[in-house]
Amino acid sequence: GQQLNQSPQSMFIQEGEDVSMNCTSSSIFNTWLWYKQDPGEGPVLLIALYKAGELTSNGRLTAQFGITRKDSFLNISASIPSDVGIYFCAGQQAGTASKLTFGTGTRLQVTL
Amino acid sequence: DAEITQSPRHKITETGRQVTLACHQTWNHNNMFWYRQDLGHGLRLIHYSYGVQDTNKGEVSDGYSVSRSNTEDLPLTLESAASSQTSVYFCASSGRGSSSYNEQFFGPGTRLTVL
């Protein structure tokens, strides 16, 4: 099955740094979602995007729905240790009736 | 508060046994989904349901079945467990609403080991 391409696959950053990650596809999506997964837990929804070009924030997190509708971006400002985890993007295509396609994940590790 | 729960959280079984994983949501969502998560594969869709008596196969449905007899529950059954089905299983749900219909909310997961 199709999966979205996320990059980077993993990253080590220092506390206080800003983080950027992205998700790309060859297909057009109507909805983009960003999730965070902590070890031993289920993914938790962070941000949902519904319009091309839309920019949405949730605290220190900001996500954008790409103009081409084939990509999305997530930024985390001033990272803190609890930002550690795996970040997944997910997209919903037209005609798939609420089914999501998931990205491969970006593993974030924050050093003090 | 509304929530989605899974049980058991951990399960060890033997090859060939039938296993059922429970998923219960109190969101009153009409859509429910089962995924498996494996290293290198991310989240893969097993089965999904858009409402009572509706079930559909996902990309990795072989060896699994589901039934939807009410809105709240979507149990996942492994008919004859195989070692290849050792994985972490997640249930998710999503519901009505103009913008929230595609927002899936996940349970805590069940770690299944087949020996």
Side-chain angles (χ1 to χ4, degrees):
Chain A
Q2 178 187 5
Q3 279 194 316
L4 300 171
N5 299 312
Q6 271 188 256
S7 66
Q9 284 189 322
S10 64
M11 52 196 316
F12 286 82
I13 60 168
Q14 288 194 327
E15 184 177 5
E17 288 184 349
D18 296 343
V19 175
S20 292
M21 60 189 78
N22 66 70
C23 191
T24 60
S25 172
S26 57
S27 303
I28 289 175
F29 286 83
N30 290 338
T31 300
W32 285 96
L33 306 171
W34 285 91
Y35 289 86
K36 182 188 178 217
Q37 186 176 24
D38 291 328
E41 299 182 12
V44 174
L45 182 63
L46 299 174
I47 293 179
L49 302 159
Y50 291 95
K51 294 180 182 179
E54 180 182 357
L55 192 69
T56 297
S57 294
N58 178 6
R60 294 178 296 105
L61 278 62
T62 301
Q64 185 164 22
F65 194 136
I67 293 291
T68 65
R69 297 169 64 189
K70 294 181 179 181
D71 54 14
S72 181
F73 309 89
L74 177 68
N75 295 312
I76 304 173
S77 62
S79 58
I80 59 178
S82 62
D83 290 334
V84 165
I86 302 177
Y87 292 80
F88 291 98
C89 62
Q92 184 268 332
Q93 293 178 277
T96 60
S98 79
K99 282 198 302 178
L100 298 178
T101 300
F102 283 86
T104 48
T106 293
R107 182 181 297 273
L108 178 64
Q109 295 183 266
V110 180
T111 57
L112 297 175
Chain B
D1 288 342
E3 61 177 358
I4 180 167
T5 57
Q6 293 183 236
S7 62
R9 291 297 311 277
H10 302 271
K11 174 78 176 178
I12 299 174
T13 190
E14 296 177 341
T15 302
R17 291 192 180 267
Q18 184 180 78
V19 176
T20 296
L21 309 182
C23 175
H24 179 79
Q25 53 97 3
T26 58
W27 294 93
N28 199 32
H29 284 162
N30 48 310
N31 306 327
M32 295 185 73
F33 307 84
W34 273 104
Y35 297 89
R36 59 178 290 174
Q37 186 176 41
D38 305 286
L39 281 175
H41 290 281
L43 287 160
R44 292 185 290 175
L45 184 63
I46 305 172
H47 281 286
Y48 57 102
S49 168
Y50 291 137
V52 175
Q53 302 301 330
D54 175 76
T55 60
N56 306 280
K57 294 181 178 180
E59 61 177 304
V60 290
S61 60
D62 287 348
Y64 304 94
S65 64
V66 293
S67 62
R68 186 90 178 270
S69 59
N70 59 51
T71 300
E72 296 79 18
D73 299 288
L74 187 69
L76 177 71
T77 298
L78 287 68
E79 303 294 343
S80 177
S83 57
S84 61
Q85 294 177 308
T86 293
S87 186
V88 180
Y89 292 86
F90 289 100
C91 180
S93 71
S94 68
R96 298 185 187 278
S98 59
S99 63
S100 65
Y101 200 73
N102 297 318
E103 296 174 13
Q104 291 184 19
F105 296 90
F106 284 79
T110 294
R111 182 175 294 276
L112 177 67
T113 302
V114 182
L115 301 176

